[in-house]
Amino acid sequence: NTFEAQVALERRVISSGSIDGVAGSQTRAATLAFQSIARLPQSGALDPETRARLTLDTPPTTSYTVTSNDLARLQPIAPTWLGKSQQSALDFETLLELVAEKFHAHPSYIRTLNPGVNWSNSVPMGTELRVPNAVYPEPTEKAALIRISLSAKSLEAFGANSNLLAHFPCSIAARVEKRPVGELH
């Protein structure tokens, strides 16, 4: 399914954005990147040939236990820039935000994976959560070139032999009247 494909892509350092189980534009862009690497016809769709090559060797979810360190990182974020500048850290306001960021997932999908958790109350230390099992592998090669495509809204890293090492969605702030075009190298 789409969730499993997003996890499999993430494990190959091909990000579809926040893992959310939805086949949106970022998932299509990540699928295209994978199809390019795998030398498959580039459709952006999870067609049978792509699904056959995009396999998982471990389950797509894992468990995570809330730690005291997690809870210690939570603090309200001041509403003003001055207030923010005086805080010890601009970390996370809620455990849901922290867990979603840590496991590259959309907060609503973390909620879906954990229907019994009441996120509006404080979640106690020791609570076991179900999360995407999407850990980036250790790099095997250094990037020789980074390309940011403004029109595709992507950042890609290439190795010395021009092989794609990583793909991430990104957005670049631009004036509303002008659409970003071109590439940055």
Side-chain angles (χ1 to χ4, degrees):
N1 63 30
T2 302
F3 166 69
E4 291 171 336
Q6 288 174 332
V7 169
L9 289 164
E10 194 82 8
R11 289 180 186 176
R12 290 167 173 80
V13 198
I14 302 173
S15 176
S16 61
S18 293
I19 295 171
D20 59 4
V22 176
S25 61
Q26 292 179 345
T27 300
R28 282 189 294 280
T31 304
L32 274 170
F34 172 75
Q35 289 168 334
S36 173
I37 292 169
R39 300 193 188 330
L40 294 170
Q42 295 184 26
S43 65
L46 290 170
D47 54 57
E49 194 173 359
T50 302
R51 287 176 192 268
R53 299 278 294 279
L54 195 58
T55 58
L56 292 171
D57 53 356
T58 58
T61 61
T62 188
S63 64
Y64 178 75
T65 304
V66 176
T67 67
S68 59
N69 288 342
D70 294 333
L71 299 176
R73 293 178 67 181
L74 306 180
Q75 63 175 297
I77 304 294
T80 66
W81 287 111
L82 178 61
K84 290 175 184 172
S85 72
Q86 296 169 344
Q87 288 191 242
S88 61
L90 296 176
D91 218 349
F92 298 97
E93 287 190 285
T94 68
L95 184 65
L96 180 59
E97 289 175 356
L98 183 147
V99 171
E101 182 71 23
K102 189 173 201 155
F103 294 97
H104 314 172
H106 194 279
S108 64
Y109 206 73
I110 295 294
R111 285 181 187 272
T112 299
L113 291 174
N114 297 280
V117 174
N118 183 349
W119 296 98
S120 59
N121 292 336
S122 71
V123 178
M125 181 180 74
T127 300
E128 192 168 305
L129 303 172
R130 192 167 159 229
V131 295
N133 189 6
V135 178
Y136 291 139
E138 288 296 317
T140 58
E141 184 179 347
K142 285 188 176 190
L145 171 75
I146 301 288
R147 181 177 64 205
I148 299 172
S149 173
L150 302 177
S151 59
K153 297 180 182 170
S154 67
L155 180 150
E156 294 180 319
F158 296 88
N161 295 326
S162 299
N163 52 315
L164 182 63
L165 302 176
H167 167 94
F168 302 98
C170 72
S171 61
I172 287 80
R175 292 184 20 209
V176 175
E177 310 88 59
K178 294 190 171 203
R179 293 190 59 204
V181 295
E183 294 181 352
L184 301 174
H185 295 272

